[in-house]
Amino acid sequence: MEVIIRKDAASAINLTAEILADAITAKPDLVLGLATGRTMENLYDNLVERHKNEGLDFSLCKSFNLDEYIGLSGDNENSYRYYMNHFLFNRVNIDLRNTHLPDGATEDLDGEGERYEQAIADAGGVDIQLLGIGRTGHIGFNEPLSSLMSRTRQKALAPVTIEQNSPLFDNPEDMPKRAFTMGVGTILDSGKVIMLVTGKEKAEILAKAVEGPVTAMISATALQLHPNTVVICDEEAAELLTEKDYYKWIFDNEPEWEKYRNLK
Ligand code: GLP
């Protein structure tokens, strides 16, 4: 795992977008693992700008999102399908047929996870998985005690998560209490992981995720087991990390980061 600390959210987002854009340019048929949440909204705006101004080409990309609320169909404004169409897919030249989320409206609740896993496998696996982190330390919707080997499945949401996300619903009571989510094991199978974390309210959980012991209580700690994970955060989210100077030294000295050092 590497941790890159940028001075503010805008530069953490810009670095994440730059890495993604470089990856898409190097491999136009990249399989992207995508995430939702407030943190990602500005990232998707940044990618849309790059599409418009620099010709960043999504036409051959495929995507698989982490999760979807159970009981919401794609035309529901609070579904993650709606979010993705709104913030990214409808604003770039990705082929909608190549964009995938679990089907929140399916009647086959037990079969959906297996179907989704097969679709990921058929696409050759996820090349780069983008992640945020929830207040419980969840990645996707892998709430505390999710098996670190779990696969895509339905999951009951923790009260803290319901409290975190229900304000996004017109009527907070309407927030589903269950979701489909890629498993921790599914996420660990991706070629590279980028976790983007901004804001002081994430400082405590980020310190536990990065520097604490690996535990099923905090599914993001499983990323310590992944051979190619980079955490990109701002100063506020990094505040409680104990080894900040070391992480900064790596960014300032390792050749792989040279081209990104002067990025705004
Ligand atoms: C939801 C998503 C997570 C996301 C989290 C953080 O719970 N399932 O994938 O990381 O929100 O959201 P925010 O960026 O709004 O803090």
Side-chain angles (χ1 to χ4, degrees), residues 35-40 66-67 69 80 131-135 138-141 161 164-165 168 202:
T36 52
R38 281 158 278 213
T39 313
M40 299 301 156
L66 285 165
D67 43 18
Y69 290 116
Y80 284 164
L131 297 177
I133 190 169
R135 257 201 269 166
H138 68 209
I139 47 178
F141 272 132
T161 300
Q164 181 187 335
N165 289 359
L168 299 171
K202 298 282 173 73

Side-chain angles (χ1 to χ4, degrees), residues 92 180-181:
V92 297
F180 289 118
T181 181

Side-chain angles (χ1 to χ4, degrees), residues 1 12 18 31 41-42 44 66 70 77 85 109 124 129 132 137 153 159 194 231 234 237 239 241 253:
M1 178 185 280
E18 182 88 2
V31 181
E41 294 176 9
N42 293 330
Y44 294 144
L66 285 165
I70 291 179
E77 283 184 26
N85 287 352
L109 294 178
Q129 178 66 56
R153 70 216 182 285
I194 302 177
V231 175
D234 63 359
E239 188 161 325
L241 295 172
N253 289 281

Side-chain angles (χ1 to χ4, degrees), residues 104-226:
T106 185
E107 303 210 328
D108 185 12
L109 294 178
D110 290 332
E112 181 59 11
E114 208 173 309
R115 186 199 65 77
Y116 201 63
E117 290 280 336
Q118 190 58 51
I120 295 171
D122 291 346
V126 170
D127 291 311
I128 300 187
Q129 178 66 56
L130 183 65
L131 297 177
I133 190 169
R135 257 201 269 166
T136 61
H138 68 209
I139 47 178
F141 272 132
N142 290 287
E143 300 288 31
L145 295 184
S146 288
S147 159
L148 301 187
M149 297 177 79
S150 52
R151 312 302 304 187
T152 307
R153 70 216 182 285
Q154 43 173 328
K155 195 76 195 140
L157 300 177
V160 178
T161 300
I162 295 169
E163 194 189 308
Q164 181 187 335
N165 289 359
S166 60
L168 299 171
F169 287 69
D170 287 340
N171 177 7
E173 292 292 304
D174 290 344
M175 180 177 158
K177 310 292 182 283
R178 302 180 77 78
F180 289 118
T181 181
M182 281 188 197
V184 181
T186 318
I187 293 167
L188 293 181
D189 280 350
S190 51
K192 180 181 179 76
V193 174
I194 302 177
M195 187 161 79
L196 173 63
V197 187
T198 60
K200 57 179 184 314
E201 59 287 353
K202 298 282 173 73
E204 204 175 318
I205 196 66
L206 183 65
K208 287 183 182 161
V210 169
E211 295 180 338
V214 175
T215 167
M217 283 302 288
I218 299 172
S219 61
T221 61
L223 299 173
Q224 296 173 30
L225 303 171
H226 189 277

